[in-house]
Amino acid sequence: MEALEELERAGPLASRLAVAQGVFDVVTGVWPIVHLRSFEAVTGPKREGWLVKTVGALITVVGGTLLTAGLRKRVTPELMLLAAGSAAALTAVDIRYSPQRISPVYLLDAVLEGLLITGWCVAAARLWKGRSAEPPAPRYTSPEDAAGFPT
């Protein structure tokens, strides 16, 4: 019951963010797997095609998970952390390597990922604000209750 209330507090913003990031991640993750040549035409040549496809597969899995959770309106705090964390990791790589080694198009990706991170911070703040200051009441009153013995 408490978990469902927590999901409701995460609200429609979290679900919409999960769907948006999920779609974005699935599309950008599948693209190099399906057609590496067109991906390289936009993002620049890559030395290791297998590595690009591996990263694409991982991004696709994250995106598919986010998309499914967002459509089902089951965005948990753990999923919010996955979403914001993956966006932050991709942003860090975009910013660190874009000026020297990779195409400047990755700076556009950094901006989009930064917007997602901002959205997740807002959603997390709303979730945090909705939490009560008091700990939840204990479910069991005795070891026998916890073990399932009738009293």
Side-chain angles (χ1 to χ4, degrees):
M1 180 72 169
E2 186 180 319
L4 291 176
E5 290 172 7
E6 194 169 271
L7 291 172
E8 289 171 7
R9 281 197 303 269
L13 173 62
S15 293
R16 286 193 300 264
L17 279 169
V19 169
Q21 185 172 349
V23 169
F24 181 71
D25 284 358
V26 167
V27 169
T28 58
V30 168
W31 183 15
I33 296 168
V34 172
H35 201 267
L36 184 59
R37 184 173 287 160
S38 66
F39 182 80
E40 288 181 320
V42 173
T43 64
K46 308 291 185 272
R47 286 184 177 183
E48 304 284 348
W50 69 269
L51 185 57
V52 175
K53 291 179 180 185
T54 301
V55 172
L58 292 171
I59 291 170
T60 302
V61 169
V62 170
T65 303
L66 292 172
L67 181 58
T68 302
L71 291 173
R72 295 181 68 205
K73 298 183 182 356
R74 307 227 2 120
V75 180
T76 63
E78 297 84 1
L79 196 86
M80 294 169 71
L81 180 61
L82 173 69
S86 64
L90 292 170
T91 300
V93 170
D94 290 343
I95 291 171
R96 170 63 178 93
Y97 294 106
S98 190
Q100 303 92 358
R101 299 175 123 175
I102 59 178
S103 170
V105 76
Y106 284 99
L107 291 177
L108 174 61
D109 181 63
V111 170
L112 296 173
E113 300 286 355
L115 291 172
L116 289 168
I117 295 166
T118 302
W120 286 116
C121 288
V122 170
R126 288 181 182 176
L127 178 63
W128 187 259
K129 184 179 178 183
R131 289 188 170 199
S132 73
E134 296 181 26
R139 293 181 142 172
Y140 304 108
T141 56
S142 71
E144 291 82 13
D145 289 341
F149 295 120
T151 53

